[in-house]
Each structure stands twice: as structure tokens, then as C-alpha cells.
Amino acid sequence: MDPVSLLISVVDDDESVRESLPDLLREFGFMAKSFASANEFLVSRCADKTKCLILDIAMPGMSGPELKRELERTGYFIPTIFITAHAEICSRPDVRDGAAACLVKPFSDMALQNAVKKALEST
């Protein structure tokens, strides 16, 4: 599948992440869209087009793991990469189970590219 036809959605309450990650993903050749909250993503109706989700774990309102569970409850099983500033959170069962990767901020471009590749291969 052509990377340009693959939408990667980034959900993070941190504005700098919402601005920088989509730019980096576009450099990798993907389409990318960012959202400030789980709710913003849910109301966007982008779930059916999204081939990979990059979710911040700790966000106000619905967390990244909660968003993943809500999407699965409604029939969307989207490969997910969690991102966090706290390494110990990556070992939590609600984060580890079913996620393609968990990256600790700041992470390298190569780590992100590898995680996206792994996530897309899981579909």
C-alpha cells in the first residue's frame, strides 16, 4: 500500500507535539492529521480513514488507552502507538496490551519511523 494513501492520526494535548509530529510523518511520506483531544478525534469521523493512531497516554478528559478501548468498543481496531513522557507508564497492562509500540518522549525520528512501520505491518 502506498504510504501517501495512509492516514496517521496524532492525538495529543501538547501543541508542540501536534505541530511537529504530523510534519515529521509527512516527511516519511504519510498523510497526517492532529487532534488536541480524544473527543476531538471521535467527533472528526476520521477513525474509518485512520490506518495508525499515535496517542498520548495522559490527556485531560479521555486518556489514550481509554480512547483506544472506546474505538474498539465501536468496532475500530486501529494499530496504535502510545507516546508518553514517563517511561514506567509503558509497562502498564492497559498500555502494553494491544499497542504496536510505546515511545518515551523525546524519541528519535528513527524510533517513530520504526514504530509506524511495525504498526502498519500489523494490519
Side-chain angles (χ1 to χ4, degrees):
M1 192 177 283
D2 179 20
V4 171
S5 66
L6 300 175
L7 176 62
I8 299 176
S9 292
V10 176
V11 184
D12 197 313
D13 60 314
D14 182 332
E15 185 177 359
S16 64
V17 172
R18 285 195 317 275
E19 291 177 359
S20 63
L21 272 189
D23 289 344
L24 181 57
L25 291 163
R26 287 183 196 102
E27 285 181 27
F28 296 158
F30 298 103
M31 291 188 312
K33 194 164 183 157
S34 63
F35 303 89
S37 69
N39 191 54
E40 185 179 319
F41 176 75
L42 289 171
V43 300
S44 75
R45 299 186 181 178
C46 284
D48 59 341
K49 299 176 213 125
T50 299
K51 302 302 180 198
C52 177
L53 269 172
I54 299 177
L55 300 178
D56 187 17
I57 291 175
M59 295 183 285
M62 186 183 291
S63 71
E66 289 169 336
L67 173 57
K68 184 177 185 317
R69 283 192 299 276
E70 176 62 17
L71 289 166
E72 290 173 351
R73 186 188 68 74
T74 57
Y76 293 102
F77 295 88
I78 304 168
T80 301
I81 299 164
F82 287 116
I83 56 177
T84 182
H86 307 285
E88 68 280 359
I89 293 177
C90 286
S91 62
R92 286 186 354 206
D94 64 329
V95 171
R96 187 182 63 242
D97 296 342
C102 184
L103 302 177
V104 179
K105 300 174 191 175
F107 44 82
S108 70
D109 296 359
M110 184 63 75
L112 177 64
Q113 190 170 33
N114 289 338
V116 169
K117 180 180 177 188
K118 179 180 175 185
L120 294 173
E121 288 172 351
S122 72
T123 59

